[in-house]
Amino acid sequence: MEERYQAKAIERKWQRVWEETKAFRVTEDVSKPKYYVLEMFPYPSGRIHMGHVRVYAIGDVLARFKRMRGYNVLHPMGWDAFGLPAENAAIERGIHPAKWTMENIGYMRDQLKKMGISYDWDREIATSEPEYYRWEQLIFLRMLERGLAYRKRSTVNWCPSCQTVLANEQVEGGRCWRCESEVTKRDIDGWFFKITAYADELLDWCDRLTGWPERVITMQKNWIGRSEGAEFDLPVVGRPELKIRVYTTRPDTVFGMTYAVLAPEHPLVDQLVTAPGERTEVERFRAEVLKESEQERVAEDRPKRGRRLSARAVNPFTGVEIPLFLADYVLMIYGTGAIMAVPGEDQRDWDFAKTHGLDIIETVKRPPNWNGEAYTGDGIKINSGFLDGLTVAEARRRAIHWLVEHGLGEAKVNYRLRDWGISRQRYWGAPIPVLYCDACGMVPEKEENLPVVLPRDVQISGKGGSPLASHPAFISAPCPRCGGKARRETDTMDTFVESSWYFLRYCSPHFTGGMVEPTAGAYWMPVDQYIGGIEHAVLHLLYARFYTKVLRDLGFVKVDEPFNALLSQGMVVKDGAKMSKSKGNVVSDDVIRDKYGADTGRLFELFAGPPEKDLEWSDQGVEGAYRFLTRLWRFTFQHREALVAVRSDVAQNELPADFRNLYRLIHKTIKKVTEDVEGRFHFNTAIAAIMELFNALSASVQNESRPESGTAVIKAGLETIITLLYPFAPHIASELWECLDHKTSLDGVSWPKYSAEALEEEQLLIVVQVNGKVRGKITVPADMSQKQIETEALAEPRVSLFLDGKKIEKIVHVPGRLVNIVAEG
RNA sequence: GCCCGGAUGGUGGAAUUGGUAGACACACGGGACUUAAAAUCCCGAGGACCCGGAAGGGUCCGUGCCGGUUCGAGUCCGGCUCCGGGCACCA
């Protein structure tokens, strides 16, 4: 054993051992409980840095901890290898995306190995390999069969910089989630996954995902945005052939409908515009509204613009004629694209009615002192014909009932969630396995012809559409139906499709008979603990849930949900910003490893705060973690000979008092660390407890005249520290374990157990309060009666001083903790 | 605007069910070692005030603000302020 802590050499040594013995390889083993822990796999964008390391360190603590606890742990790693940055690198630097991606993977794999993350590297996957995406293509075909994948022309989000379509989830505040360019609209043909068919199930299961953070669940619920209401028809005056269908969540307010509004792009508008000269005016209004970007149209505080039509409709409940408007505040994409307006009970309608001088009818009795504008609260119905006197909830039911009875409408549930647009007009992605035949139209590729391999020999310019379109060998293929000439689809799939099922592939990554080998899938799924950033709350995490349900319905998996529990780790922040290459505030893992070692880097990130919170990078904090490991090393080095000479098993009650206390602390620490890691993921307090035990050990070793049994307790303490530290700093722990003459590696050692007996205190420190303020502390034997403790408490000099001349009213006694004497006078 | 978090020393954070607020660490100050520095080791420390020659001892205040419940509140309840995040003309 070297006197100095040589982190680099030690880490190299143990990484080689793990690599050569394939220490973390697992197979299905029904004799053990399984534990599948997974960190969101990375996009191989270049290099990882200390901002990325955090999530892997967290996952590794759990993986190593659970192995020691006797679980059969699946902890795999792979690469989300398709994506735009690879293509951009190709455009900018002339490197093929495949080459660029594979080089990055090679480098990043090496970095993860150097951090000592305990992956089963035999299960490594890259989603850009045909062996991977062929199964995705197969699922696509099956989804197509069931109508879960479909093609349509629609208005979609378009990123002008990425030159591709984006799904709704990938637009954040009107900007592209990846490059932050402002997103525009385009009418384009594209492929969609019918996620809306699962809206209800996705929503219902939210409440069963008890292992997920509340905020992620809330974000998903809001994103799905279920609302219950009614849909019904408004007759158009003098036009019996026309009906305007409207959607409302407040069918109870129909008697307050004083006008109705259509979205400017509503398809009925053309037929409603009949008055002379009206068409030109309406066209002008439409053009004015539609030329604005989505951003401008929804900007805050802007007045609602509208245009009155000559046509009028009828409120079917009252028979009263009402005016019709086009207005920018009604959106074609939600509901029916038309609304009944109730300015009394809807603020938007209220604003519009005020600017256009329209009638306002209140249909809910206002609370006393109400001086607001539109009232959206609960109350008793007024001015509402047959609904008068009812509550809002009851009136809703009655109004819907009335609509059904008269054949005008029905109850209707709407969602904010829209189908997932998966077409990408880019090269570096999984080909969509369909063809277009002049004779047969769109034809799916035959399953036996899969995979449709993405060709490598393409010219990537970034201009003029997908390079696949100008690749003759790819694009022209025989029609799977008639054998005639057909053209392949050149759109590729959104890379979020690959990440929607990769966790399944890890169960049997080399299986050639399907996406997952059924036994392996049944054994490992679902993921027990998933770990990743909050930024995927409505992206990847929603898609993966949807895809899992589809796979279940297609018979590929048995689970309803992919991830049992989710840990959303916070960002690593430096100088007030998320650590990232573009911000220029990255701390290189190479530099940290070179200066301190991987263990120090890991320990710092785990110690600086709980995993769900953001973590402020601190160079001094890293120093502190390093100092602790160095002290531990030196301690072991200095006392090694003495410790190796004794056995570490001791009889607690034969020890001198201070060593009995140390022995008790060892067991308390085991309990604390176990509970912190297992139940709460509070690795920071777990590490703090280990440090405390070490501080106590350092103090105890000063006692030169200790008996041999005392040395044995110190040895037991040190071994406990090493074992408890292993999940956090595995290299130094493994090395120190070996230094203490252990012949077998720490990798196979069980997590220590505490004994309840050892935890029992002999003495209790009781806080004595007078009227809730601490006035003294007494130490009493653990078996002292409550009565006696109270007598002792009253006798405590400072306590009696405070009680002098006062009348004791009662004594509150919390056993083992405190005595509070309530006195007056 | 709506929804969800959060606010504790100079700093990161701890206090798990209402029971000693500030664990553990960083930074800082003092000391030891050293020609010196680094490293290391030891000691100190929430704030204000008081007693004492000193070592020491004491009182009050203190977890964003105001109020409440309780023997007792960082923790529970009501009302605010500020910060962060999500959604946002979704009818």
Side-chain angles (χ1 to χ4, degrees), chain A residues 404-468:
Chain A
V404 174
E405 233 174 24
H406 292 77
L408 291 169
E410 65 272 315
K412 168 86 182 177
V413 173
N414 256 320
Y415 300 90
R416 221 187 66 107
L417 182 70
R418 248 134 308 121
D419 279 343
W420 174 14
I422 58 141
S423 274
R424 296 293 175 271
Q425 292 66 31
R426 302 296 309 207
Y427 162 69
W428 191 235
I432 295 174
V434 301
L435 298 96
Y436 302 96
C437 168
D438 288 339
C440 312
M442 192 278 290
V443 185
E445 182 56 276
K446 286 184 182 155
E447 288 190 5
E448 58 266 35
N449 291 344
L450 297 183
V452 175
V453 176
L454 184 74
R456 294 279 161 111
D457 52 335
V458 289
Q459 288 300 314
I460 299 162
S461 63
K463 295 186 194 81
S466 171
L468 293 177

Side-chain angles (χ1 to χ4, degrees), chain A residues 230-234 244-248 260-261 336 338-340:
Chain A
E231 237 181 62
F232 62 96
D233 292 327
L234 302 180
I244 299 166
R245 193 134 184 106
V246 295
Y247 174 70
T248 180
V261 190
T336 59
I339 60 158
M340 65 168 203

Side-chain angles (χ1 to χ4, degrees), chain A residues 28-41:
Chain A
E28 294 82 70
D29 176 354
V30 288
S31 70
K32 282 179 168 180
K34 70 96 182 178
Y35 187 78
Y36 185 176
V37 55
L38 184 65
E39 300 102 58
M40 288 182 186
F41 70 165

Side-chain angles (χ1 to χ4, degrees), chain A residues 144 151 191 433-445 477-489:
Chain A
L144 190 61
R151 185 175 161 84
W191 288 96
V434 301
L435 298 96
Y436 302 96
C437 168
D438 288 339
C440 312
M442 192 278 290
V443 185
E445 182 56 276
C479 169
R481 191 166 298 156
C482 69
K485 278 180 97 177
R487 291 175 51 254
R488 283 197 191 280
E489 170 66 81

Side-chain angles (χ1 to χ4, degrees), chain A residues 63 148 203 327 330 355 394 423 469 573 615 648 653 671 694 714 719:
Chain A
L148 291 170
L203 188 67
V330 173
T355 45
E394 183 54 29
S423 274
V573 184
L615 164 70
S648 59
N653 41 22
K671 182 169 192 282
F694 179 67
I714 290 171
E719 291 190 342

Side-chain angles (χ1 to χ4, degrees), chain A residues 449-511:
Chain A
N449 291 344
L450 297 183
V452 175
V453 176
L454 184 74
R456 294 279 161 111
D457 52 335
V458 289
Q459 288 300 314
I460 299 162
S461 63
K463 295 186 194 81
S466 171
L468 293 177
S470 46
H471 189 284
F474 175 81
I475 193 145
S476 59
C479 169
R481 191 166 298 156
C482 69
K485 278 180 97 177
R487 291 175 51 254
R488 283 197 191 280
E489 170 66 81
T490 57
D491 281 356
T492 52
M493 282 192 250
D494 183 1
T495 56
F496 278 98
V497 181
E498 282 94 63
S499 55
S500 293
W501 65 281
Y502 75 109
F503 42 88
L504 197 61
R505 189 64 185 165
Y506 282 139
C507 298
S508 55
H510 311 297
F511 184 58

